[in-house]
Tab-separated table of all heavy atoms in Angstrom:
chain	number	residue	atom	x	y	z
A	1434	GLY	N	152.408	143.367	110.099
A	1434	GLY	CA	151.719	142.073	110.183
A	1434	GLY	C	150.211	142.245	110.136
A	1434	GLY	O	149.522	141.494	109.435
A	1435	THR	N	149.740	143.257	110.861
A	1435	THR	CA	148.287	143.496	110.884
A	1435	THR	C	147.792	143.902	109.504
A	1435	THR	O	146.744	143.457	109.054
A	1435	THR	CB	147.954	144.612	111.903
A	1435	THR	OG1	148.448	144.195	113.166
A	1435	THR	CG2	146.463	144.854	112.004
A	1438	GLY	N	147.630	140.888	107.440
A	1438	GLY	CA	146.470	140.098	107.876
A	1438	GLY	C	145.176	140.687	107.359
A	1438	GLY	O	144.317	139.975	106.832
A	1439	CYS	N	145.058	142.012	107.466
A	1439	CYS	CA	143.841	142.681	106.975
A	1439	CYS	C	143.698	142.488	105.469
A	1439	CYS	O	142.586	142.240	104.967
A	1439	CYS	CB	143.886	144.179	107.291
A	1439	CYS	SG	143.663	144.522	109.019
A	1442	ILE	N	142.404	139.060	104.823
A	1442	ILE	CA	140.973	138.954	105.161
A	1442	ILE	C	140.133	139.577	104.038
A	1442	ILE	O	139.169	138.986	103.561
A	1442	ILE	CB	140.676	139.649	106.514
A	1442	ILE	CG1	141.305	138.865	107.662
A	1442	ILE	CG2	139.172	139.799	106.741
A	1442	ILE	CD1	141.327	139.616	108.981
A	1443	VAL	N	140.547	140.794	103.638
A	1443	VAL	CA	139.793	141.495	102.583
A	1443	VAL	C	139.821	140.677	101.295
A	1443	VAL	O	138.799	140.490	100.634
A	1443	VAL	CB	140.362	142.915	102.346
A	1443	VAL	CG1	139.767	143.549	101.107
A	1443	VAL	CG2	140.113	143.794	103.566
A	1445	ALA	N	140.348	137.341	100.878
A	1445	ALA	CA	139.572	136.086	100.959
A	1445	ALA	C	138.066	136.377	100.906
A	1445	ALA	O	137.322	135.714	100.174
A	1445	ALA	CB	139.929	135.351	102.248
A	1446	ALA	N	137.636	137.367	101.676
A	1446	ALA	CA	136.202	137.693	101.703
A	1446	ALA	C	135.733	138.207	100.340
A	1446	ALA	O	134.673	137.795	99.840
A	1446	ALA	CB	135.930	138.729	102.791
A	1447	ALA	N	136.560	139.082	99.737
A	1447	ALA	CA	136.160	139.653	98.440
A	1447	ALA	C	136.095	138.582	97.359
A	1447	ALA	O	135.178	138.581	96.532
A	1447	ALA	CB	137.153	140.756	98.031
A	1449	MET	N	135.490	135.312	97.786
A	1449	MET	CA	134.318	134.454	98.012
A	1449	MET	C	133.021	135.176	97.603
A	1449	MET	O	132.171	134.602	96.944
A	1449	MET	CB	134.233	134.034	99.486
A	1449	MET	CG	135.296	133.054	99.910
A	1449	MET	SD	135.365	131.564	98.905
A	1449	MET	CE	133.892	130.714	99.402
A	1453	SER	N	130.586	134.248	94.325
A	1453	SER	CA	129.149	133.981	94.508
A	1453	SER	C	128.301	134.956	93.673
A	1453	SER	O	127.296	134.556	93.077
A	1453	SER	CB	128.785	134.101	95.995
A	1453	SER	OG	127.444	133.737	96.175
A	1457	GLY	N	125.767	133.932	90.711
A	1457	GLY	CA	124.378	134.360	90.697
A	1457	GLY	C	123.988	135.037	89.388
A	1457	GLY	O	122.912	134.794	88.841
A	1458	MET	N	124.904	135.880	88.893
A	1458	MET	CA	124.647	136.586	87.623
A	1458	MET	C	124.480	135.579	86.488
A	1458	MET	O	123.583	135.704	85.660
A	1458	MET	CB	125.821	137.525	87.282
A	1458	MET	CG	126.096	138.569	88.335
A	1458	MET	SD	124.981	139.938	88.162
A	1458	MET	CE	125.931	141.245	88.886
A	1460	ASN	N	123.665	132.431	86.724
A	1460	ASN	CA	122.445	131.666	86.977
A	1460	ASN	C	121.218	132.432	86.459
A	1460	ASN	O	120.344	131.879	85.779
A	1460	ASN	CB	122.367	131.404	88.481
A	1460	ASN	CG	121.240	130.446	88.831
A	1460	ASN	OD1	120.466	130.712	89.722
A	1460	ASN	ND2	121.152	129.331	88.131
A	1461	THR	N	121.186	133.728	86.793
A	1461	THR	CA	120.051	134.569	86.370
A	1461	THR	C	120.025	134.686	84.845
A	1461	THR	O	118.970	134.533	84.218
A	1461	THR	CB	120.163	135.980	86.985
A	1461	THR	OG1	120.271	135.835	88.395
A	1461	THR	CG2	118.946	136.839	86.659
A	1464	GLU	N	118.563	131.664	83.182
A	1464	GLU	CA	117.095	131.554	83.234
A	1464	GLU	C	116.407	132.573	82.334
A	1464	GLU	O	115.222	132.462	82.083
A	1464	GLU	CB	116.590	131.746	84.673
A	1464	GLU	CG	116.915	130.593	85.612
A	1464	GLU	CD	116.130	129.316	85.305
A	1464	GLU	OE1	115.168	129.373	84.517
A	1464	GLU	OE2	116.517	128.272	85.837
A	1465	LEU	N	117.176	133.585	81.908
A	1465	LEU	CA	116.563	134.630	81.090
A	1465	LEU	C	116.750	134.412	79.589
A	1465	LEU	O	116.389	135.263	78.791
A	1465	LEU	CB	117.134	135.999	81.487
A	1465	LEU	CG	116.608	136.571	82.806
A	1465	LEU	CD1	117.367	137.837	83.183
A	1465	LEU	CD2	115.117	136.861	82.738
A	1470	ARG	N	112.480	131.430	78.873
A	1470	ARG	CA	111.354	132.368	79.073
A	1470	ARG	C	110.096	131.907	78.337
A	1470	ARG	O	108.990	132.009	78.845
A	1470	ARG	CB	111.760	133.771	78.608
A	1470	ARG	CG	112.731	134.422	79.580
A	1470	ARG	CD	113.245	135.736	79.076
A	1470	ARG	NE	112.205	136.760	79.077
A	1470	ARG	CZ	112.432	138.038	78.808
A	1470	ARG	NH1	113.642	138.435	78.532
A	1470	ARG	NH2	111.454	138.904	78.834
A	1473	TRP	N	108.522	128.995	80.290
A	1473	TRP	CA	107.792	129.449	81.485
A	1473	TRP	C	106.510	130.202	81.110
A	1473	TRP	O	105.496	130.090	81.797
A	1473	TRP	CB	108.681	130.339	82.361
A	1473	TRP	CG	109.656	129.548	83.184
A	1473	TRP	CD1	111.016	129.595	83.096
A	1473	TRP	CD2	109.354	128.605	84.200
A	1473	TRP	NE1	111.578	128.713	83.991
A	1473	TRP	CE2	110.574	128.101	84.698
A	1473	TRP	CE3	108.169	128.114	84.755
A	1473	TRP	CZ2	110.659	127.141	85.698
A	1473	TRP	CZ3	108.235	127.152	85.768
A	1473	TRP	CH2	109.461	126.681	86.223
A	1476	PHE	N	103.949	127.615	80.343
A	1476	PHE	CA	103.476	127.015	81.604
A	1476	PHE	C	102.485	127.954	82.301
A	1476	PHE	O	101.441	127.526	82.787
A	1476	PHE	CB	104.687	126.747	82.510
A	1476	PHE	CG	104.327	126.145	83.840
A	1476	PHE	CD1	104.079	124.792	83.958
A	1476	PHE	CD2	104.222	126.941	84.973
A	1476	PHE	CE1	103.719	124.236	85.183
A	1476	PHE	CE2	103.876	126.405	86.197
A	1476	PHE	CZ	103.633	125.043	86.307
A	1477	ASP	N	102.820	129.238	82.298
A	1477	ASP	CA	101.964	130.245	82.936
A	1477	ASP	C	100.588	130.293	82.265
A	1477	ASP	O	99.544	130.317	82.925
A	1477	ASP	CB	102.671	131.600	82.842
A	1477	ASP	CG	102.136	132.604	83.839
A	1477	ASP	OD1	101.428	132.187	84.776
A	1477	ASP	OD2	102.406	133.803	83.689
A	1480	GLU	N	98.551	127.227	83.174
A	1480	GLU	CA	97.969	127.335	84.531
A	1480	GLU	C	96.702	128.199	84.509
A	1480	GLU	O	95.671	127.819	85.052
A	1480	GLU	CB	98.980	128.001	85.471
A	1480	GLU	CG	100.189	127.160	85.805
A	1480	GLU	CD	100.003	126.401	87.087
A	1480	GLU	OE1	99.880	127.031	88.155
A	1480	GLU	OE2	99.969	125.157	87.016
A	1484	TYR	N	92.881	127.055	85.312
A	1484	TYR	CA	92.178	127.791	86.380
A	1484	TYR	C	90.803	128.255	85.880
A	1484	TYR	O	89.781	128.056	86.541
A	1484	TYR	CB	93.053	128.993	86.785
A	1484	TYR	CG	92.478	129.921	87.814
A	1484	TYR	CD1	92.544	129.623	89.174
A	1484	TYR	CD2	91.888	131.133	87.433
A	1484	TYR	CE1	92.027	130.490	90.121
A	1484	TYR	CE2	91.368	132.005	88.385
A	1484	TYR	CZ	91.448	131.696	89.724
A	1484	TYR	OH	90.936	132.558	90.667
A	1505	TYR	N	102.184	115.707	90.032
A	1505	TYR	CA	102.252	117.160	89.929
A	1505	TYR	C	100.962	117.734	89.339
A	1505	TYR	O	100.446	118.753	89.811
A	1505	TYR	CB	103.468	117.580	89.089
A	1505	TYR	CG	103.687	119.072	89.060
A	1505	TYR	CD1	103.672	119.814	90.255
A	1505	TYR	CD2	103.910	119.756	87.885
A	1505	TYR	CE1	103.864	121.186	90.256
A	1505	TYR	CE2	104.116	121.127	87.871
A	1505	TYR	CZ	104.086	121.845	89.057
A	1505	TYR	OH	104.291	123.193	89.047
A	1508	GLN	N	98.272	117.682	91.935
A	1508	GLN	CA	98.445	118.777	92.894
A	1508	GLN	C	98.045	120.119	92.285
A	1508	GLN	O	97.428	120.956	92.938
A	1508	GLN	CB	99.889	118.817	93.384
A	1508	GLN	CG	100.244	117.602	94.239
A	1508	GLN	CD	101.678	117.619	94.727
A	1508	GLN	OE1	102.456	118.497	94.385
A	1508	GLN	NE2	102.026	116.643	95.563
A	1511	ALA	N	94.265	120.332	92.263
A	1511	ALA	CA	93.755	120.653	93.609
A	1511	ALA	C	93.968	122.131	93.905
A	1511	ALA	O	93.074	122.831	94.401
A	1511	ALA	CB	94.455	119.788	94.641
A	1512	GLU	N	95.180	122.617	93.586
A	1512	GLU	CA	95.500	124.034	93.836
A	1512	GLU	C	94.564	124.963	93.061
A	1512	GLU	O	93.963	125.881	93.640
A	1512	GLU	CB	96.950	124.299	93.390
A	1512	GLU	CG	97.342	125.759	93.393
A	1512	GLU	CD	98.274	126.110	92.262
A	1512	GLU	OE1	98.987	125.224	91.774
A	1512	GLU	OE2	98.271	127.275	91.853
A	1513	LEU	N	94.402	124.665	91.759
A	1513	LEU	CA	93.630	125.580	90.925
A	1513	LEU	C	92.120	125.462	91.152
A	1513	LEU	O	91.356	126.335	90.746
A	1513	LEU	CB	93.990	125.356	89.443
A	1513	LEU	CG	95.460	125.667	89.116
A	1513	LEU	CD1	95.832	125.174	87.725
A	1513	LEU	CD2	95.748	127.167	89.231
A	1515	THR	N	90.999	125.288	94.255
A	1515	THR	CA	90.811	125.892	95.576
A	1515	THR	C	90.050	127.218	95.503
A	1515	THR	O	90.318	128.037	94.626
A	1515	THR	CB	92.182	126.134	96.247
A	1515	THR	OG1	92.888	124.906	96.255
A	1515	THR	CG2	92.034	126.630	97.675
A	1516	SER	N	89.145	127.361	96.445
A	1516	SER	CA	88.269	128.528	96.598
A	1516	SER	C	87.165	128.587	95.522
A	1516	SER	O	86.428	129.568	95.454
A	1516	SER	CB	89.050	129.851	96.669
A	1516	SER	OG	89.336	130.317	95.401
A	1520	PRO	N	87.930	119.990	96.725
A	1520	PRO	CA	88.577	118.693	96.475
A	1520	PRO	C	88.322	117.706	97.619
A	1520	PRO	O	88.373	118.085	98.797
A	1520	PRO	CB	90.058	119.059	96.369
A	1520	PRO	CG	90.068	120.480	95.967
A	1520	PRO	CD	88.907	121.094	96.677
A	1521	GLN	N	88.049	116.454	97.242
A	1521	GLN	CA	87.761	115.409	98.228
A	1521	GLN	C	88.891	114.379	98.220
A	1521	GLN	O	89.479	114.092	97.166
A	1521	GLN	CB	86.451	114.705	97.866
A	1521	GLN	CG	85.248	115.617	97.796
A	1521	GLN	CD	84.883	116.187	99.158
A	1521	GLN	OE1	84.652	115.451	100.106
A	1521	GLN	NE2	84.829	117.508	99.255
A	1522	PRO	N	89.184	113.806	99.385
A	1522	PRO	CA	90.268	112.814	99.423
A	1522	PRO	C	89.876	111.475	98.787
A	1522	PRO	O	90.749	110.690	98.417
A	1522	PRO	CB	90.539	112.645	100.916
A	1522	PRO	CG	89.313	113.116	101.601
A	1522	PRO	CD	88.670	114.129	100.726
B	1083	VAL	N	119.496	143.816	90.352
B	1083	VAL	CA	120.179	142.932	89.399
B	1083	VAL	C	119.570	141.523	89.408
B	1083	VAL	O	119.093	141.043	88.380
B	1083	VAL	CB	121.707	142.901	89.700
B	1083	VAL	CG1	122.409	141.918	88.785
B	1083	VAL	CG2	122.297	144.288	89.567
B	1086	THR	N	115.887	140.950	88.151
B	1086	THR	CA	115.575	140.871	86.714
B	1086	THR	C	115.151	139.446	86.354
B	1086	THR	O	114.499	139.233	85.330
B	1086	THR	CB	116.785	141.265	85.840
B	1086	THR	OG1	117.900	140.465	86.238
B	1086	THR	CG2	117.133	142.724	85.990
B	1089	ARG	N	111.660	138.393	85.127
B	1089	ARG	CA	111.222	138.427	83.738
B	1089	ARG	C	111.122	137.017	83.150
B	1089	ARG	O	110.490	136.812	82.123
B	1089	ARG	CB	112.187	139.276	82.902
B	1089	ARG	CG	112.044	140.770	83.188
B	1089	ARG	CD	112.827	141.584	82.192
B	1089	ARG	NE	114.267	141.316	82.329
B	1089	ARG	CZ	115.122	141.361	81.328
B	1089	ARG	NH1	114.714	141.647	80.125
B	1089	ARG	NH2	116.400	141.111	81.530
B	1090	ALA	N	111.800	136.050	83.809
B	1090	ALA	CA	111.738	134.675	83.311
B	1090	ALA	C	110.354	134.067	83.499
B	1090	ALA	O	109.978	133.125	82.801
B	1090	ALA	CB	112.789	133.818	84.010
B	1091	GLY	N	109.590	134.582	84.465
B	1091	GLY	CA	108.226	134.084	84.681
B	1091	GLY	C	108.167	132.728	85.358
B	1091	GLY	O	107.235	131.942	85.123
B	1092	ILE	N	109.146	132.440	86.229
B	1092	ILE	CA	109.216	131.126	86.884
B	1092	ILE	C	108.099	130.973	87.936
B	1092	ILE	O	107.851	131.892	88.710
B	1092	ILE	CB	110.594	130.961	87.580
B	1092	ILE	CG1	111.708	131.039	86.548
B	1092	ILE	CG2	110.657	129.658	88.368
B	1092	ILE	CD1	113.092	131.192	87.141
B	1093	ILE	N	107.444	129.809	87.921
B	1093	ILE	CA	106.558	129.438	89.050
B	1093	ILE	C	107.072	128.085	89.541
B	1093	ILE	O	106.933	127.067	88.856
B	1093	ILE	CB	105.091	129.320	88.627
B	1093	ILE	CG1	104.574	130.650	88.059
B	1093	ILE	CG2	104.224	128.924	89.818
B	1093	ILE	CD1	103.111	130.637	87.668
B	1095	TYR	N	107.797	124.608	91.948
B	1095	TYR	CA	106.926	123.501	92.362
B	1095	TYR	C	106.173	123.851	93.649
B	1095	TYR	O	104.949	123.786	93.699
B	1095	TYR	CB	107.794	122.250	92.566
B	1095	TYR	CG	107.012	120.962	92.672
B	1095	TYR	CD1	107.133	119.979	91.680
B	1095	TYR	CD2	106.162	120.698	93.737
B	1095	TYR	CE1	106.424	118.795	91.764
B	1095	TYR	CE2	105.453	119.516	93.826
B	1095	TYR	CZ	105.586	118.563	92.835
B	1095	TYR	OH	104.873	117.406	92.919
B	1098	ASN	N	103.623	126.602	93.489
B	1098	ASN	CA	102.294	126.132	93.092
B	1098	ASN	C	101.643	125.291	94.185
B	1098	ASN	O	100.588	125.650	94.704
B	1098	ASN	CB	102.439	125.227	91.848
B	1098	ASN	CG	101.907	125.904	90.610
B	1098	ASN	OD1	101.029	126.741	90.685
B	1098	ASN	ND2	102.452	125.535	89.469
B	1099	ALA	N	102.298	124.141	94.472
B	1099	ALA	CA	101.652	123.115	95.292
B	1099	ALA	C	101.373	123.570	96.723
B	1099	ALA	O	100.389	123.148	97.329
B	1099	ALA	CB	102.521	121.864	95.315
B	1102	LEU	N	100.711	128.865	96.515
B	1102	LEU	CA	99.526	129.388	95.817
B	1102	LEU	C	98.252	128.723	96.324
B	1102	LEU	O	97.195	129.355	96.424
B	1102	LEU	CB	99.659	129.195	94.302
B	1102	LEU	CG	100.291	130.352	93.524
B	1102	LEU	CD1	100.369	130.032	92.037
B	1102	LEU	CD2	99.505	131.652	93.732
B	1103	THR	N	98.356	127.429	96.686
B	1103	THR	CA	97.195	126.735	97.242
B	1103	THR	C	96.750	127.406	98.542
B	1103	THR	O	95.564	127.710	98.732
B	1103	THR	CB	97.555	125.250	97.503
B	1103	THR	OG1	98.038	124.689	96.296
B	1103	THR	CG2	96.353	124.468	97.992
B	1106	LEU	N	95.196	130.848	97.913
B	1106	LEU	CA	93.780	130.800	97.487
B	1106	LEU	C	92.871	130.470	98.658
B	1106	LEU	O	91.749	130.963	98.740
B	1106	LEU	CB	93.626	129.765	96.357
B	1106	LEU	CG	94.195	130.228	95.003
B	1106	LEU	CD1	94.348	129.047	94.049
B	1106	LEU	CD2	93.310	131.294	94.381
B	1107	MET	N	93.354	129.633	99.588
B	1107	MET	CA	92.551	129.311	100.781
B	1107	MET	C	92.353	130.560	101.645
B	1107	MET	O	91.234	130.864	102.067
B	1107	MET	CB	93.254	128.244	101.633
B	1107	MET	CG	93.208	126.840	101.066
B	1107	MET	SD	94.105	125.750	102.197
B	1107	MET	CE	94.235	124.292	101.195
B	1114	GLU	N	86.654	128.598	103.988
B	1114	GLU	CA	87.519	128.002	102.964
B	1114	GLU	C	88.885	127.631	103.569
B	1114	GLU	O	89.404	126.525	103.319
B	1114	GLU	CB	87.716	129.023	101.847
B	1114	GLU	CG	88.550	128.557	100.686
B	1114	GLU	CD	87.816	127.560	99.794
B	1114	GLU	OE1	86.642	127.811	99.507
B	1114	GLU	OE2	88.422	126.544	99.425
B	1123	ALA	N	92.533	116.005	101.303
B	1123	ALA	CA	92.856	116.218	99.887
B	1123	ALA	C	94.017	117.203	99.711
B	1123	ALA	O	94.611	117.270	98.642
B	1123	ALA	CB	91.622	116.733	99.157
B	1124	TYR	N	94.301	117.977	100.758
B	1124	TYR	CA	95.373	118.973	100.671
B	1124	TYR	C	96.604	118.606	101.513
B	1124	TYR	O	97.443	119.460	101.772
B	1124	TYR	CB	94.865	120.342	101.128
B	1124	TYR	CG	93.945	121.026	100.160
B	1124	TYR	CD1	92.601	121.177	100.436
B	1124	TYR	CD2	94.437	121.528	98.952
B	1124	TYR	CE1	91.742	121.814	99.542
B	1124	TYR	CE2	93.590	122.165	98.056
B	1124	TYR	CZ	92.251	122.303	98.364
B	1124	TYR	OH	91.421	122.941	97.480
B	1126	PHE	N	99.194	117.137	100.769
B	1126	PHE	CA	100.435	117.374	100.017
B	1126	PHE	C	100.975	118.784	100.214
B	1126	PHE	O	102.146	119.053	99.985
B	1126	PHE	CB	100.192	117.120	98.514
B	1126	PHE	CG	99.292	118.137	97.877
B	1126	PHE	CD1	99.818	119.316	97.364
B	1126	PHE	CD2	97.927	117.939	97.772
B	1126	PHE	CE1	98.984	120.267	96.768
B	1126	PHE	CE2	97.089	118.873	97.175
B	1126	PHE	CZ	97.627	120.042	96.677
B	1148	ARG	N	92.149	138.462	91.092
B	1148	ARG	CA	92.751	137.155	90.868
B	1148	ARG	C	92.989	136.875	89.382
B	1148	ARG	O	93.137	135.722	88.986
B	1148	ARG	CB	91.815	136.072	91.419
B	1148	ARG	CG	91.825	135.930	92.915
B	1148	ARG	CD	91.081	134.651	93.239
B	1148	ARG	NE	90.647	134.624	94.611
B	1148	ARG	CZ	89.865	133.686	95.098
B	1148	ARG	NH1	89.409	132.717	94.309
B	1148	ARG	NH2	89.498	133.711	96.369
B	1151	LEU	N	97.469	134.838	88.710
B	1151	LEU	CA	97.972	134.273	89.968
B	1151	LEU	C	99.439	134.596	90.210
B	1151	LEU	O	99.919	134.524	91.340
B	1151	LEU	CB	97.765	132.756	89.974
B	1151	LEU	CG	96.321	132.249	89.846
B	1151	LEU	CD1	96.272	130.726	89.908
B	1151	LEU	CD2	95.423	132.819	90.932
B	1152	ARG	N	100.143	134.957	89.134
B	1152	ARG	CA	101.578	135.226	89.264
B	1152	ARG	C	101.890	136.403	90.200
B	1152	ARG	O	102.980	136.499	90.735
B	1152	ARG	CB	102.185	135.531	87.887
B	1152	ARG	CG	102.726	134.308	87.166
B	1152	ARG	CD	103.666	134.729	86.049
B	1152	ARG	NE	104.758	135.521	86.543
B	1152	ARG	CZ	105.807	135.028	87.205
B	1152	ARG	NH1	105.890	133.740	87.425
B	1152	ARG	NH2	106.766	135.816	87.613
B	1198	VAL	N	124.400	137.968	96.687
B	1198	VAL	CA	124.774	136.631	97.144
B	1198	VAL	C	123.548	135.888	97.697
B	1198	VAL	O	123.408	134.680	97.514
B	1198	VAL	CB	125.903	136.734	98.204
B	1198	VAL	CG1	126.074	135.417	98.962
B	1198	VAL	CG2	127.209	137.115	97.548
B	1201	SER	N	122.001	134.473	94.910
B	1201	SER	CA	122.913	133.527	94.275
B	1201	SER	C	122.916	132.173	94.990
B	1201	SER	O	122.808	131.133	94.348
B	1201	SER	CB	124.317	134.133	94.283
B	1201	SER	OG	125.222	133.259	93.716
B	1204	GLY	N	119.606	130.418	94.345
B	1204	GLY	CA	119.302	129.978	92.978
B	1204	GLY	C	118.054	130.720	92.521
B	1204	GLY	O	117.100	130.882	93.285
B	1205	ILE	N	118.072	131.168	91.286
B	1205	ILE	CA	117.008	132.049	90.806
B	1205	ILE	C	115.651	131.336	90.802
B	1205	ILE	O	114.600	131.955	91.020
B	1205	ILE	CB	117.388	132.638	89.420
B	1205	ILE	CG1	116.710	133.969	89.222
B	1205	ILE	CG2	117.084	131.705	88.279
B	1205	ILE	CD1	117.253	135.070	90.044
B	1361	VAL	N	136.399	128.628	104.381
B	1361	VAL	CA	136.954	129.988	104.161
B	1361	VAL	C	136.452	130.922	105.258
B	1361	VAL	O	137.216	131.733	105.810
B	1361	VAL	CB	136.578	130.517	102.769
B	1361	VAL	CG1	137.160	131.908	102.559
B	1361	VAL	CG2	137.069	129.569	101.688
B	1369	GLY	N	140.546	137.119	111.478
B	1369	GLY	CA	139.909	138.338	112.003
B	1369	GLY	C	140.086	138.465	113.491
B	1369	GLY	O	140.395	139.552	114.005
B	1372	PHE	N	143.883	139.440	113.958
B	1372	PHE	CA	144.414	140.711	113.453
B	1372	PHE	C	143.553	141.947	113.771
B	1372	PHE	O	144.083	143.025	113.953
B	1372	PHE	CB	144.607	140.630	111.931
B	1372	PHE	CG	145.719	139.722	111.511
B	1372	PHE	CD1	145.446	138.535	110.863
B	1372	PHE	CD2	147.046	140.050	111.768
B	1372	PHE	CE1	146.463	137.686	110.468
B	1372	PHE	CE2	148.081	139.200	111.389
B	1372	PHE	CZ	147.781	138.010	110.740
B	1373	VAL	N	142.229	141.792	113.731
B	1373	VAL	CA	141.382	142.993	113.859
B	1373	VAL	C	140.404	142.901	115.030
B	1373	VAL	O	139.356	143.539	115.040
B	1373	VAL	CB	140.622	143.313	112.538
B	1373	VAL	CG1	141.561	143.807	111.484
B	1373	VAL	CG2	139.838	142.112	112.043
B	1430	TYR	N	128.347	134.029	104.481
B	1430	TYR	CA	128.761	135.071	103.532
B	1430	TYR	C	128.627	136.461	104.177
B	1430	TYR	O	129.439	137.343	103.954
B	1430	TYR	CB	127.908	135.015	102.256
B	1430	TYR	CG	128.437	134.030	101.227
B	1430	TYR	CD1	127.773	132.848	100.949
B	1430	TYR	CD2	129.610	134.298	100.528
B	1430	TYR	CE1	128.257	131.947	100.001
B	1430	TYR	CE2	130.103	133.409	99.589
B	1430	TYR	CZ	129.419	132.234	99.327
B	1430	TYR	OH	129.915	131.366	98.399
B	1433	LEU	N	131.558	136.986	106.340
B	1433	LEU	CA	132.719	137.373	105.519
B	1433	LEU	C	132.648	138.864	105.184
B	1433	LEU	O	133.665	139.582	105.276
B	1433	LEU	CB	132.723	136.578	104.206
B	1433	LEU	CG	133.201	135.127	104.250
B	1433	LEU	CD1	133.006	134.473	102.889
B	1433	LEU	CD2	134.663	135.053	104.653
B	1437	LEU	N	135.250	141.786	106.183
B	1437	LEU	CA	135.828	142.610	105.115
B	1437	LEU	C	135.732	144.098	105.470
B	1437	LEU	O	136.693	144.840	105.329
B	1437	LEU	CB	135.097	142.321	103.806
B	1437	LEU	CG	135.598	142.972	102.516
B	1437	LEU	CD1	135.272	142.082	101.326
B	1437	LEU	CD2	135.029	144.352	102.277
B	1443	SER	N	140.551	148.960	109.286
B	1443	SER	CA	141.408	148.679	110.442
B	1443	SER	C	142.253	149.882	110.806
B	1443	SER	O	142.897	150.488	109.960
B	1443	SER	CB	142.329	147.496	110.138
B	1443	SER	OG	143.161	147.265	111.229
Side-chain angles (χ1 to χ4, degrees):
Chain A
T1435 302
C1439 288
I1442 291 168
V1443 170
M1449 289 306 288
S1453 185
M1458 301 279 206
N1460 188 229
T1461 305
E1464 289 290 348
L1465 285 173
R1470 287 174 70 173
W1473 282 116
F1476 179 81
D1477 199 15
E1480 291 265 296
Y1484 176 82
Y1505 186 48
Q1508 293 180 355
E1512 171 216 334
L1513 297 169
T1515 305
S1516 84
Q1521 302 293 305
Chain B
V1083 176
T1086 54
R1089 288 190 296 149
I1092 299 167
I1093 301 182
Y1095 194 114
N1098 252 332
L1102 268 180
T1103 305
L1106 287 165
M1107 286 179 192
E1114 181 74 44
Y1124 287 110
F1126 69 87
R1148 284 191 199 173
L1151 300 182
R1152 268 198 58 76
V1198 166
S1201 179
I1205 207 72
V1361 180
F1372 291 111
V1373 289
Y1430 274 109
L1433 283 175
L1437 185 151
S1443 178

